[in-house]
Amino acid sequence: MHSSKAQTPPHISGFNYVRPLGSGGFARVYQYEQDMPRRVVAVKVLKDDVADENGRAAFEAEADAMARLSSHPSIVSIYTASVSSDGHPFIAMEYCPESFRTGSKGAVVPLADVLDAGVRLAGALETAHQSGVLHRDIKPSNVLRATTDRPLLADFGIVSLRGQMRGEYTDRAMSLPWAAPEVVTGSTSGTVASEVWALGATLYTFAAGQPPFGRATKKGTDRELIGRIERAKYVPVPGAQGYEAFDSVMARALAKDPAQRFTSMHELGITMQQLQRHYGLDVTPLDVVKSTWVTPAVTMQGVRGPQVSTVQQGGRAAKRAALANDASRRTRTRVGTTSSGNSALKPALIGAGAAAVVLAAGAGIMAMMGAL
């Protein structure tokens, strides 16, 4: 169990502390104001009691994953990541005023908003999966609401990069009410199929106001909740009218057998678009960033930390400079050759001109003598 002792907000050059925003198992989140460019940001700071080498490695993996994927319009943008002057690892990212559920003031989210969020989040996760990234902690509190009112996926804190998890904390972290049966039983730490389940459970929670298999009650235990998740007996959204088509999609996403679920987030997103058409709603674009535009993952052992930037010797700038020099040399060579040729011809041309003048003068004299 993690310590709950107070932690002073870190001193970060170029940022001014404003107020606390929240706290999780491994990190605290604060609101700061960046000096240049001037903007409000959220700063996630690793807790002191997990800031060992393993915790630092997992934290850096989260920063790397978010930076690689933040070009997607439904993933929180990361601005910078480093270590503060007093030694605290931090990530500065896009500030979101509230979570997606908070915006509905704890009530159920309208179906139109649930389907819109479903398509957007499916596109974000399909982008991550095609890039070799598993989120591994999809849940309602990790879906934030941007200042434009659209949902954003956040918190890649227990991310897996191409199946390689960094940090000892990542293999045991999960959010129980939204975790798939194979995850809660320890059969796997995360797959595309388990992420489909987690997104389905999250969307169900938005629509129903409660997780699909309930929560652990005060009198109950986590074991009872795990038992309900393992049985995976789907219960339609309670009290909802006309949700049969939505329930059918959710039942497939939450199937006990991973092979019976949607095969990818792309397939789930397309199905959510079909639901939008079924209900007569505007169809949300399914945005998927091509994996070729995502920075490749770099697997590293241990803590990387801040580094002094260096210019690659054989980089693109050096190659462009070399090409420019070659072009300049070729141009000078052509000019020199042309100049040399002209120099050789010039005396001959002068001589020929002089000879022509002499002949013309001679011809004129002879003509005059003939006339006399």
Side-chain angles (χ1 to χ4, degrees):
M1 189 169 180
H2 302 292
S3 170
S4 59
K5 65 180 180 179
Q7 180 172 316
T8 303
H11 299 286
I12 304 175
S13 177
F15 294 83
N16 297 311
Y17 170 75
V18 178
R19 63 187 178 95
L21 293 176
S23 179
F26 304 104
R28 290 180 170 86
V29 183
Y30 304 97
Q31 181 179 332
Y32 279 73
E33 187 177 76
Q34 187 175 356
D35 291 335
M36 185 179 295
R38 180 75 67 182
R39 60 185 169 188
V40 175
V41 301
V43 175
K44 185 174 184 178
V45 182
L46 189 65
K47 287 184 175 179
D48 289 337
D49 49 2
V50 293
D52 56 10
E53 183 173 351
N54 290 305
R56 285 279 303 278
F59 198 69
E60 289 178 2
E62 176 183 7
D64 290 341
M66 292 184 67
R68 292 175 58 209
L69 302 173
S70 61
S71 61
H72 193 281
S74 296
I75 295 178
V76 171
S77 296
I78 183 174
Y79 300 141
T80 188
S82 187
V83 178
S84 67
S85 58
D86 46 0
H88 292 93
F90 71 89
I91 302 173
M93 64 190 79
E94 179 180 359
Y95 170 71
C96 297
E98 58 189 8
S99 71
F100 192 72
R101 282 196 71 193
T102 303
S104 63
K105 302 186 184 303
V108 298
V109 177
L111 184 59
D113 293 342
V114 174
L115 298 180
D116 176 75
V119 176
R120 295 181 188 277
L121 297 175
L125 289 163
E126 178 66 20
T127 297
H129 294 168
Q130 288 188 13
S131 303
V133 175
L134 291 174
H135 186 284
R136 299 182 63 244
D137 196 23
I138 304 165
K139 59 183 179 181
S141 62
N142 283 340
V143 180
L144 305 181
R145 191 181 294 271
T147 53
T148 56
D149 208 34
R150 58 187 169 84
L152 294 177
L153 185 63
D155 199 349
F156 285 72
I158 51 176
V159 68
S160 172
L161 301 176
R162 299 197 181 279
Q164 299 184 4
M165 294 172 290
R166 298 180 63 190
E168 65 174 307
Y169 305 107
T170 60
D171 60 353
R172 64 173 183 262
M174 63 179 174
S175 297
L176 190 55
W178 301 278
E182 62 271 21
V183 174
V184 299
T185 59
S187 300
T188 179
S189 60
T191 62
V192 170
S194 68
E195 303 244 293
V196 167
W197 169 290
L199 180 57
T202 296
L203 297 176
Y204 182 100
T205 304
F206 290 156
Q210 63 185 34
F213 303 101
R215 300 178 183 271
T217 63
K218 292 181 179 180
K219 294 182 180 180
T221 63
D222 285 347
R223 173 49 54 187
E224 293 176 353
L225 175 56
I226 290 174
R228 293 194 295 272
I229 292 174
E230 288 177 339
R231 292 189 292 273
K233 184 178 179 180
Y234 183 81
V235 178
V237 176
Q241 299 295 325
Y243 275 43
E244 292 81 7
F246 177 77
D247 281 320
S248 177
V249 173
M250 290 298 98
R252 181 181 173 189
L254 297 170
K256 179 178 180 179
D257 182 0
Q260 294 180 1
R261 300 172 199 158
F262 295 97
T263 57
S264 68
M265 286 295 178
H266 184 268
E267 184 184 7
L268 176 56
I270 293 295
T271 305
M272 300 297 286
Q273 288 180 321
Q274 292 172 351
L275 279 180
Q276 289 179 314
R277 295 186 184 96
H278 172 79
Y279 288 109
L281 303 170
D282 292 336
V283 177
T284 304
L286 181 61
D287 296 318
V288 178
V289 179
K290 292 182 179 180
S291 58
T292 53
W293 289 97
V294 177
T295 305
V298 178
T299 303
M300 299 184 66
Q301 299 296 327
V303 177
R304 184 174 72 248
Q307 294 182 346
V308 177
S309 299
T310 57
V311 178
Q312 186 179 358
Q313 294 298 324
R316 287 177 292 181
K319 292 179 180 178
R320 286 196 299 267
L323 290 173
N325 289 334
D326 289 342
S328 178
R329 282 196 298 271
R330 287 195 296 270
T331 301
R332 288 196 300 270
T333 300
R334 286 196 300 270
V335 172
T337 301
T338 303
S339 300
S340 299
N342 290 340
S343 299
L345 289 173
K346 189 176 294 183
L349 291 174
I350 292 173
V357 170
V358 171
L359 289 174
I365 295 173
M366 293 296 294
M368 293 175 62
M369 292 178 64
L372 293 174

